[in-house]
Amino acid sequence: DTEVTQTPKHLVMGMTNKKSLKCEQHMGHRAMYWYKQKAKKPPELMFVYSYEKLSINESVPSRFSPECPNSSLLNLHLHALQPEDSALYLCASSQGAGGGYTFGSGTRLTVV
Amino acid sequence: AQSVTQLDSQVPVFEEAPVELRCNYSSSVSVYLFWYVQYPNQGLQLLLKYLSGSTLVKGINGFEAEFNKSQTSFHLRKPSVHISDTAEYFCAVSFSGGSNYKLTFGKGTLLTVNP
């Protein structure tokens, strides 16, 4: 299995809702990432998990809460989001810096 | 700190013409270099990567890139493009050592292949 699977593919949520994005990989990769991508922009790193521990938080607002339950799963819990948080959220995994990063197809999030 | 500059935001070409997408990087340490492609409403797909060794790297879909350390460049080329190559292309860099796995992207180049 050489894929990163993200669910759901599309999500519409209100500003008072709580939702979660899920990401799964079975490649044995030791690092997993969340990226946010606005239209016509490059992906921006949000969080990095290395060996299931949070190693990088790029000053992301607390309304985004990551969780890594095990080495194959990565969640992003969403609460009280703003319309400007609408974006494509990409999950990725890698064995290391030189192994290449495998990206999922993303979750298209719309906050209304 | 590392950074990546993609010199062209948009590159229009005709079908079957050659194309070069330019990428320059800046880093005080050794880096790994990547090119990714993103089709509309999809995630990123790895085209090719340079880790070490031969400076000419061949990737998928007929693309290749050449690492030039003296010019700190990693330009992407294809000798003959197809309509289906229309997409956004991102150059990216990561450190070759340590535990920092951060991947830094350039701003992207939109390749539009016209009939």
Side-chain angles (χ1 to χ4, degrees):
Chain A
D1 188 353
T2 59
E3 289 187 345
V4 173
T5 302
Q6 289 187 245
T7 56
K9 293 195 180 304
H10 301 275
L11 178 63
V12 179
M13 62 183 291
M15 290 188 284
T16 59
N17 291 159
K18 286 185 180 181
K19 297 286 184 182
S20 296
L21 309 185
K22 297 185 184 300
C23 173
E24 189 169 5
Q25 58 92 11
H26 295 287
M27 295 174 282
H29 287 174
R30 59 190 181 186
M32 296 185 75
Y33 313 77
W34 281 114
Y35 281 85
K36 174 183 178 179
Q37 186 180 26
K38 301 285 277 186
K40 301 188 184 302
K41 297 290 186 182
E44 296 178 357
L45 183 65
M46 300 175 71
F47 303 103
V48 179
Y49 273 82
S50 177
Y51 292 103
E52 302 171 43
K53 294 191 187 307
L54 184 64
S55 62
I56 297 178
N57 177 339
E58 292 286 62
S59 302
V60 179
S62 59
R63 57 185 184 267
F64 295 91
S65 176
E67 178 195 21
C68 189
N70 59 56
S71 59
S72 299
L73 294 174
L74 186 66
N75 298 321
L76 186 63
H77 302 299
L78 314 173
H79 174 56
L81 294 193
Q82 304 298 310
E84 58 264 29
D85 296 322
S86 298
L88 180 67
Y89 287 84
L90 294 163
C91 175
S93 69
S94 73
Q95 183 57 24
Y101 299 70
T102 302
F103 282 83
S105 56
T107 294
R108 177 75 60 187
L109 174 67
T110 303
V111 181
V112 298
Chain B
Q2 62 208 29
S3 66
V4 179
T5 302
Q6 291 184 244
L7 298 163
D8 305 295
S9 59
Q10 297 185 55
V11 173
V13 295
F14 288 108
E15 194 174 16
E16 299 183 5
V19 70
E20 178 180 81
L21 306 184
R22 297 181 293 168
C23 172
N24 286 88
Y25 69 93
S26 173
S27 176
S28 57
V29 298
S30 295
V31 296
Y32 297 134
L33 293 159
F34 307 86
W35 275 100
Y36 284 87
V37 61
Q38 186 174 35
Y39 299 102
N41 299 313
Q42 294 189 26
L44 279 74
Q45 181 181 12
L46 180 66
L47 280 176
L48 48 78
K49 61 184 178 183
Y50 173 79
L51 306 182
S52 64
S54 174
T55 57
L56 183 63
V57 180
K58 293 191 182 298
I60 63 171
N61 302 341
F63 284 94
E64 63 180 34
E66 186 156 18
F67 171 64
N68 188 319
K69 188 173 182 180
S70 62
Q71 297 186 8
T72 61
S73 67
F74 190 55
H75 300 334
L76 181 71
R77 302 186 182 99
K78 187 169 183 178
S80 176
V81 294
H82 303 289
I83 298 287
S84 58
D85 292 322
T86 295
E88 190 84 27
Y89 291 79
F90 292 100
C91 183
V93 62
S94 67
F95 283 120
S96 63
S99 60
N100 182 347
Y101 299 150
K102 183 175 179 177
L103 186 64
T104 301
F105 287 91
K107 292 185 182 298
T109 298
L110 177 61
L111 173 65
T112 303
V113 181
N114 299 300

